[in-house]
Amino acid sequence: MTNITILDLPKFQLLLFDPNKIFYNNASKTDLLDRLKTTLQNARKDKPIVVGSHYPLACSGFYTYHCTETLFYIEDFFEVMIDYNVLLYIGAHFHSY
């Protein structure tokens, strides 16, 4: 299973997840998308949602495995985020751009 956490902060909700489950633990893309949709469906409707992930869903270079593999999934993930009115997506992990 892919861990997805949502924090109810004063001004917005912060949804955090680690998509590396797809790339390194052979979880299915559908599993993560379904869990992301379910979490967003259950989120409060009266606060903006910010989504963050450890590994990015997109990156500025093609120099690592993470960048080349994540680009195969980017449209599916961003479609879900648009459908559920996610205000902002923040990807992490990389230390140079």
Side-chain angles (χ1 to χ4, degrees):
M1 283 212 144
T2 306
N3 293 330
I4 298 177
T5 302
I6 192 160
L7 304 170
D8 190 10
L9 302 173
K11 301 271 184 184
F12 61 92
Q13 297 170 93
L14 179 60
L15 187 150
L16 300 170
F17 72 101
D18 189 350
N20 94 9
K21 296 283 188 183
I22 290 174
F23 309 118
Y24 296 113
N25 297 329
N26 296 318
S28 72
K29 177 175 90 169
T30 304
D31 174 54
L32 182 52
L33 285 173
D34 289 346
R35 297 211 46 225
L36 184 59
K37 286 178 190 178
T38 299
T39 303
L40 289 167
Q41 285 170 351
N42 294 327
R44 291 177 56 169
K45 307 298 184 243
D46 61 338
K47 284 187 176 181
I49 300 171
V50 173
V51 173
S53 64
H54 178 159
Y55 287 97
L57 297 177
C59 45
S60 58
F62 290 94
Y63 49 86
T64 69
Y65 175 78
H66 304 91
C67 288
T68 57
E69 288 300 310
T70 57
L71 294 176
F72 290 109
Y73 302 98
I74 189 169
E75 288 182 12
D76 296 331
F77 286 106
F78 283 118
E79 183 177 305
V80 170
M81 290 186 216
I82 289 167
D83 288 346
Y84 290 95
N85 298 315
V86 171
L87 178 67
L88 177 68
Y89 166 75
I90 301 168
H93 186 74
F94 289 99
H95 305 275
S96 62
Y97 298 90

